[in-house]
Amino acid sequence: MKKVLSVILASAMVLSMTACGGSGDSTPATTAAPAAPAAPAASEAGKEETKADAGAAPAAAPEITFKYAELNSDDNINTRAGYKFAEYVAELSNGRIEIDVNSASTLGDEKTCLNALQMGGGTVDFYRGNTNSLSDYGFQKLNMFGLPYIFVSREGMWKVLESEELGQAFLNEGVEVGAGMVGIAYTDEGARNLFTSAEITSLADIKGKKIRVPETTLMMDTMAALGAEPTPISYSELYSSLQTGVVDGAENGYPGYDSNKFYEVAPYYLLDAHTFSPGIILMAEAQWNKLSAEDQAILLEAGKKASEWNKAAIEEEEKALRASLESKGVTIIECPPEDIAAAQEACKSVWADYTKGIEDLLQKMVDIQQ
């Protein structure tokens, strides 16, 4: 368990009592997005960065504590966004609400966490997942964000996510379809690329290879369309599966590939950008409904601020990670343009299968990126 604020709050109380015999008021957070941080240097970077930033947190004992689950380790940008979210919630609630961030799959794998949200929370109240993993829970609109090659660039993706008609409206889909989940905010971990244990030079080289995918039908269909043999395996088991040859490769963005040290067992990284799907912070609807309108607004504002922090940080993060990975001996392969064009054509059938009845929204997503 990562009690992000408990040590800080206790220290603040001691210092305050020593200085003036009482506890001081905190200053509410501003709405400006924080500056992008330097690239992580160690596995505790995200946690320690947030502890330092939260030094001015109010010295009030939390009245409500929520458990937040993340699959990645502390130095991953998605996990660090989770710690930022926890920090902003503490500031905006004046210390009444605590978000207990649990990284590195300590609260379970993806299915375990999503099932926990659907069942009302308690063991997991928040989960930062990927939008390409939601189709099996009744989501269709959010699932479009995971369609292969749906986003032409990071800028195009954020145009969609920040649109009131598209991205912002889709945050409510979990309630609309009865999935029992409330969307709080989006995160960006960059394009997902392929990596393998044996040398590859193009997308053609993954044909027939066993490629690990998240336990979701959309990603299985995407890899199958690209000619690979999709193999669903829990994220926590991926390193050992690559190491022992259970799978030939997998796919992930720079942050996940680096923070989980997959490069040690799969050092060939192909920049095919097959998916640019955002992450999403989800909350158990049953827990959300227990909150006052004021506290719900606090969570949404904190989510917005964490999303802004993430958006400002990701590009520099990726540049630093690429340089770091190359220095560790990773072979990074630029995917030939003709490969991308052929892959896009091959994946059109996936678009058709997952957008039946909402073709108008798909077209709006395409149009807004022009």
Side-chain angles (χ1 to χ4, degrees), residues 266-344:
Y268 299 96
Y269 194 73
L270 178 67
L271 302 178
D272 68 306
H274 55 272
T275 307
F276 216 131
S277 59
I280 182 170
I281 298 174
L282 294 163
M283 183 181 186
E285 184 184 359
Q287 299 299 322
W288 169 266
N289 289 339
K290 293 178 183 178
L291 297 174
S292 66
E294 176 188 4
D295 285 350
Q296 290 175 350
I298 284 172
L299 294 180
L300 292 175
E301 178 62 18
K304 178 182 177 183
K305 287 166 65 64
S307 184
E308 289 171 346
W309 175 87
N310 172 233
K311 181 181 178 181
I314 183 63
E315 288 194 47
E316 288 304 313
E317 177 98 356
E318 285 185 329
K319 290 177 185 177
L321 286 174
R322 176 167 182 164
S324 174
L325 288 166
E326 288 179 323
S327 74
K328 294 171 183 173
V330 173
T331 301
I332 296 179
I333 308 111
E334 299 285 346
C335 200
E338 57 271 22
D339 267 26
I340 299 294
Q344 289 172 327

Side-chain angles (χ1 to χ4, degrees), residues 70-72 76-78 128 130 132 189-196 211-214 219 223 235-236 238 242 249-263 268-277 318 325:
E70 170 61 54
L71 302 184
N72 291 291
N76 184 280
I77 193 166
N78 280 309
R128 197 289 314 168
N130 198 284
N132 64 26
E189 65 173 335
R192 297 175 74 92
N193 302 298
L194 285 155
F195 52 92
T196 57
I211 301 297
R212 180 270 173 184
V213 293
M219 288 306 296
M223 282 300 114
Y235 197 58
S236 61
L238 177 52
L242 288 164
E251 50 84 53
N252 212 324
Y254 274 121
Y257 178 65
D258 177 76
S259 65
N260 292 282
K261 301 186 186 301
F262 294 139
Y263 56 84
Y268 299 96
Y269 194 73
L270 178 67
L271 302 178
D272 68 306
H274 55 272
T275 307
F276 216 131
S277 59
E318 285 185 329
L325 288 166

